[in-house]
Structure formats: C-alpha cells, structure tokens
Amino acid sequence: MGDSVITVPNTFIATTEAISQVGAMPEFVDIDEQTYNMAPTKLREYLEQCETFSPNGRPISRRTGRPITTIVPVHLYGQTAEMDPILEIAETHKLIVVEDACQAHGAEYFSERERRWMKAGSMGKASAFSFYPGKNLGACGEAGAVTTNDEALALKIKMLRDHGQATKYHHCMEGYNGRLDAIQAGILRTKLKYLADWNENRCDAAERYRELFISLSDTIIVPHEPPWAHPVYHLYVVCSKNRDQLRKQLAEAGVETGIHYPIPLHFQDAYRHLGYQCGDLPVSERVAAEVLSLPMFPHLKAEQQRHVASQLIKSCSLVMA
Ligand SMILES: *Cc1c(COP(=O)(O)O)cnc(C)c1O
C-alpha cells in the first residue's frame, strides 16, 4: 500500500497531483491564521493523535490507514512556511519534508537551528519549483525544476525525467518525458540574472501597498511578515469579509484581481473520495472566502498602486456604508 502525505488545502492542485501520481494519498492539516501557511502546531497535534505505527516507526494515518511518510509544506504567495518546527516535527516522527517552492523563487527563511537565512528550496529533502510563465521566474512555456542536496536522489530524478535512462536506451526504471527543453532553459538562464532585482521590486511594491492601506486596517488585512521571513511577493494577498463585493467594484473601476484559491482542495470534486466535511479545516475554509490578490508584478508603478489604493478605499467605504 502507498504512503500518506500531509500537505495543506489552500494551494494549487499540482501540489496534491504530485502526491497522487506516485501512488500516495494526500491528507491535509490546517493553516496558520496569520501566514496562511502550514500551522506547525496543527501538524504536531495531527501526528500526535496517531496511535499505531508502521514497522519502521512511522505513524499510521487514522484517516487513510496508510503510513505517513512525507510532509509537503507550501511556500504560499512567496513566503516560506515556518520550517524549523516543521523539520523538527518531521524528525521526531521519521518523516521526509518536500518543499513546494513553486511560488517562492528566492524567498528566505531565518532558521534558528542553522543560525542563518536559508533559501526556499534548500531546507527539505527535495523541493519543487515551477517556471510557469506567471511565476517570479517564468519560462515562455512549461518548465520546472527539482532541487536536492542528496546526490543519489538527484541522479534518480535526472533519470526519471528522461524515461528512466542515464545512457541512451539503457532504462534503469520507467520514467517520464519530463525534460526541460533547451529553449526554455536558455530563456530561464537569462531571466535568472534579473530574479533578485525583480523580487526586490515586488518587495518595494508590497511596502508601498502596506503604507497606502494603513487607513483600511478595519476593512482589510494586509500580508503578515514574521521576523523570520524574507518573502518575494509572488502574490500580494489581502483578506476581507467583503471580498466579493470589493472584487466586483474593483473590476468595475478597471482593477483586475485574483483569488488564490477560491475552493480549498478538500472541497474539490476530484477529492470527494477523501471524505472531508465542511468545518474540518476551518481556517483554510474561511480564508478561501476572504482572500483577494491585488495587482503585483516587478514593473508595477507607484502611480498604478495609488490608483489601486484609491479605488480600494472607495470600494471599502461603499461596502461599509
Ligand atoms: C504553479 C504551482 C505549482 C506547479 O505548477 P505547474 O503548472 O506544474 O508548473 C505547484 N504548486 C504551487 C503552489 C504552484 O503555485
């Protein structure tokens, strides 16, 4: 029987597709109220309520009946999950941590354990990056990468991406057609030089939004930046009880917004078989109804941000009236 893998429900379905497609089963823990990333306390509680263990000491999930082997924290919106406690909990329960760093190219986390800032994608056993065109580092088509410090794992992943071969027509295993095409690699290599500058622009824009929204502190919640985080603002997400009304009014004023994500994964039809009920993951469920992604990209101008802010202030006063 396959593994059980713990992740969060407020992410893109690619996170859980990667779990299911290797024969494992996803299950969810709820998120932190402030960061919207995996809540270490909830992860700990979830693992501590397991009462049986596999022969090699891993907790058996009460939900799936399978051994839990892996935790997949998602560095959502460009801010890392709180990795020290997650890694510590993983060690206690003999679990592997795989980072979903698909929104966090260049983001950093201050590890008290290591006494240094660490990049997203350098803390787990392996990490996934997406180079989908809209990401902080995007190709002009489909692309992605896996990072790991484990040499044997790196070799295996290199083989898997090329039909399980290391030398032509010698297949050690079945793999995939997962090669990065050379043209995308060339584009990414050129754009990589600008990533740090573009991320800095995003952070400056986030700071500007924060200042512009000070008067709205009763209506919207701006992103929380813990002292241990250097986020890269893949998305700039605010929270409001009146999200849908605000979104409609902003659209009428020509300000395009997004929702990341409107339906938590445990409510998706694709995961009905997992048997989750309304109220099982209350923070994720509430946040899905309240998040609103405002315009955010490296070349966003201060003037454009002032326009967004004035429209948002107008919308808030209409909604509150
Ligand atoms: C973009 C993204 C992925 C991967 O998307 P692909 O379409 O496979 O490149 C995975 N997880 C998260 C959180 C993402 O935002």
Side-chain angles (χ1 to χ4, degrees), residues 284-295:
S284 303
E285 291 165 26
R286 176 180 63 75
V287 159
E290 296 183 0
V291 284
L292 183 65
S293 310
L294 299 179

PDB file of all heavy atoms in Angstrom, residues 284-295:
ATOM      1  N   SER A 284      -8.550  27.328   6.682  1.00  0.00           N
ATOM      2  CA  SER A 284      -8.450  27.285   5.222  1.00  0.00           C
ATOM      3  C   SER A 284      -9.787  27.631   4.574  1.00  0.00           C
ATOM      4  O   SER A 284      -9.834  28.315   3.545  1.00  0.00           O
ATOM      5  CB  SER A 284      -8.037  25.893   4.742  1.00  0.00           C
ATOM      6  OG  SER A 284      -6.823  25.524   5.323  1.00  0.00           O
ATOM      7  N   GLU A 285     -10.854  27.153   5.172  1.00  0.00           N
ATOM      8  CA  GLU A 285     -12.183  27.381   4.606  1.00  0.00           C
ATOM      9  C   GLU A 285     -12.568  28.855   4.689  1.00  0.00           C
ATOM     10  O   GLU A 285     -13.097  29.425   3.740  1.00  0.00           O
ATOM     11  CB  GLU A 285     -13.217  26.489   5.314  1.00  0.00           C
ATOM     12  CG  GLU A 285     -13.005  25.017   4.977  1.00  0.00           C
ATOM     13  CD  GLU A 285     -13.745  24.049   5.900  1.00  0.00           C
ATOM     14  OE1 GLU A 285     -14.780  24.433   6.484  1.00  0.00           O
ATOM     15  OE2 GLU A 285     -13.283  22.899   6.040  1.00  0.00           O
ATOM     16  N   ARG A 286     -12.272  29.489   5.825  1.00  0.00           N
ATOM     17  CA  ARG A 286     -12.582  30.899   5.982  1.00  0.00           C
ATOM     18  C   ARG A 286     -11.735  31.749   5.023  1.00  0.00           C
ATOM     19  O   ARG A 286     -12.252  32.617   4.314  1.00  0.00           O
ATOM     20  CB  ARG A 286     -12.320  31.351   7.431  1.00  0.00           C
ATOM     21  CG  ARG A 286     -12.525  32.841   7.665  1.00  0.00           C
ATOM     22  CD  ARG A 286     -12.265  33.262   9.101  1.00  0.00           C
ATOM     23  NE  ARG A 286     -10.892  33.052   9.553  1.00  0.00           N
ATOM     24  CZ  ARG A 286      -9.859  33.825   9.198  1.00  0.00           C
ATOM     25  NH1 ARG A 286     -10.033  34.845   8.397  1.00  0.00           N
ATOM     26  NH2 ARG A 286      -8.649  33.563   9.653  1.00  0.00           N
ATOM     27  N   VAL A 287     -10.435  31.433   4.985  1.00  0.00           N
ATOM     28  CA  VAL A 287      -9.511  32.216   4.167  1.00  0.00           C
ATOM     29  C   VAL A 287      -9.894  32.146   2.681  1.00  0.00           C
ATOM     30  O   VAL A 287      -9.811  33.128   1.957  1.00  0.00           O
ATOM     31  CB  VAL A 287      -8.063  31.730   4.442  1.00  0.00           C
ATOM     32  CG1 VAL A 287      -7.122  32.102   3.318  1.00  0.00           C
ATOM     33  CG2 VAL A 287      -7.572  32.292   5.775  1.00  0.00           C
ATOM     34  N   ALA A 288     -10.372  30.987   2.241  1.00  0.00           N
ATOM     35  CA  ALA A 288     -10.763  30.843   0.828  1.00  0.00           C
ATOM     36  C   ALA A 288     -11.870  31.828   0.457  1.00  0.00           C
ATOM     37  O   ALA A 288     -11.966  32.259  -0.697  1.00  0.00           O
ATOM     38  CB  ALA A 288     -11.225  29.411   0.555  1.00  0.00           C
ATOM     39  N   ALA A 289     -12.679  32.207   1.428  1.00  0.00           N
ATOM     40  CA  ALA A 289     -13.788  33.124   1.163  1.00  0.00           C
ATOM     41  C   ALA A 289     -13.375  34.586   1.302  1.00  0.00           C
ATOM     42  O   ALA A 289     -14.138  35.480   0.969  1.00  0.00           O
ATOM     43  CB  ALA A 289     -14.939  32.817   2.125  1.00  0.00           C
ATOM     44  N   GLU A 290     -12.156  34.826   1.803  1.00  0.00           N
ATOM     45  CA  GLU A 290     -11.768  36.204   2.129  1.00  0.00           C
ATOM     46  C   GLU A 290     -10.563  36.734   1.372  1.00  0.00           C
ATOM     47  O   GLU A 290     -10.328  37.948   1.338  1.00  0.00           O
ATOM     48  CB  GLU A 290     -11.493  36.307   3.645  1.00  0.00           C
ATOM     49  CG  GLU A 290     -12.744  36.046   4.480  1.00  0.00           C
ATOM     50  CD  GLU A 290     -12.509  36.205   5.976  1.00  0.00           C
ATOM     51  OE1 GLU A 290     -11.370  36.514   6.395  1.00  0.00           O
ATOM     52  OE2 GLU A 290     -13.481  36.001   6.731  1.00  0.00           O
ATOM     53  N   VAL A 291      -9.771  35.855   0.754  1.00  0.00           N
ATOM     54  CA  VAL A 291      -8.527  36.337   0.124  1.00  0.00           C
ATOM     55  C   VAL A 291      -8.785  37.020  -1.212  1.00  0.00           C
ATOM     56  O   VAL A 291      -9.673  36.628  -1.972  1.00  0.00           O
ATOM     57  CB  VAL A 291      -7.486  35.206  -0.080  1.00  0.00           C
ATOM     58  CG1 VAL A 291      -6.818  34.843   1.231  1.00  0.00           C
ATOM     59  CG2 VAL A 291      -8.099  33.986  -0.759  1.00  0.00           C
ATOM     60  N   LEU A 292      -7.979  38.047  -1.459  1.00  0.00           N
ATOM     61  CA  LEU A 292      -8.069  38.797  -2.704  1.00  0.00           C
ATOM     62  C   LEU A 292      -6.651  39.182  -3.132  1.00  0.00           C
ATOM     63  O   LEU A 292      -5.921  39.832  -2.378  1.00  0.00           O
ATOM     64  CB  LEU A 292      -8.912  40.062  -2.478  1.00  0.00           C
ATOM     65  CG  LEU A 292      -9.174  40.935  -3.703  1.00  0.00           C
ATOM     66  CD1 LEU A 292     -10.035  40.199  -4.727  1.00  0.00           C
ATOM     67  CD2 LEU A 292      -9.851  42.245  -3.295  1.00  0.00           C
ATOM     68  N   SER A 293      -6.266  38.758  -4.329  1.00  0.00           N
ATOM     69  CA  SER A 293      -4.915  39.066  -4.828  1.00  0.00           C
ATOM     70  C   SER A 293      -4.958  40.340  -5.658  1.00  0.00           C
ATOM     71  O   SER A 293      -5.669  40.409  -6.659  1.00  0.00           O
ATOM     72  CB  SER A 293      -4.389  37.918  -5.692  1.00  0.00           C
ATOM     73  OG  SER A 293      -4.538  36.684  -5.016  1.00  0.00           O
ATOM     74  N   LEU A 294      -4.185  41.321  -5.229  1.00  0.00           N
ATOM     75  CA  LEU A 294      -4.143  42.616  -5.927  1.00  0.00           C
ATOM     76  C   LEU A 294      -3.030  42.596  -6.974  1.00  0.00           C
ATOM     77  O   LEU A 294      -2.147  41.740  -6.916  1.00  0.00           O
ATOM     78  CB  LEU A 294      -3.901  43.732  -4.900  1.00  0.00           C
ATOM     79  CG  LEU A 294      -4.968  43.865  -3.816  1.00  0.00           C
ATOM     80  CD1 LEU A 294      -4.604  44.994  -2.851  1.00  0.00           C
ATOM     81  CD2 LEU A 294      -6.346  44.127  -4.430  1.00  0.00           C
ATOM     82  N   PRO A 295      -3.066  43.535  -7.910  1.00  0.00           N
ATOM     83  CA  PRO A 295      -2.013  43.556  -8.937  1.00  0.00           C
ATOM     84  C   PRO A 295      -0.622  43.563  -8.310  1.00  0.00           C
ATOM     85  O   PRO A 295      -0.345  44.369  -7.413  1.00  0.00           O
ATOM     86  CB  PRO A 295      -2.280  44.874  -9.684  1.00  0.00           C
ATOM     87  CG  PRO A 295      -3.757  45.100  -9.506  1.00  0.00           C
ATOM     88  CD  PRO A 295      -4.069  44.592  -8.134  1.00  0.00           C
TER      89      PRO A 295
END
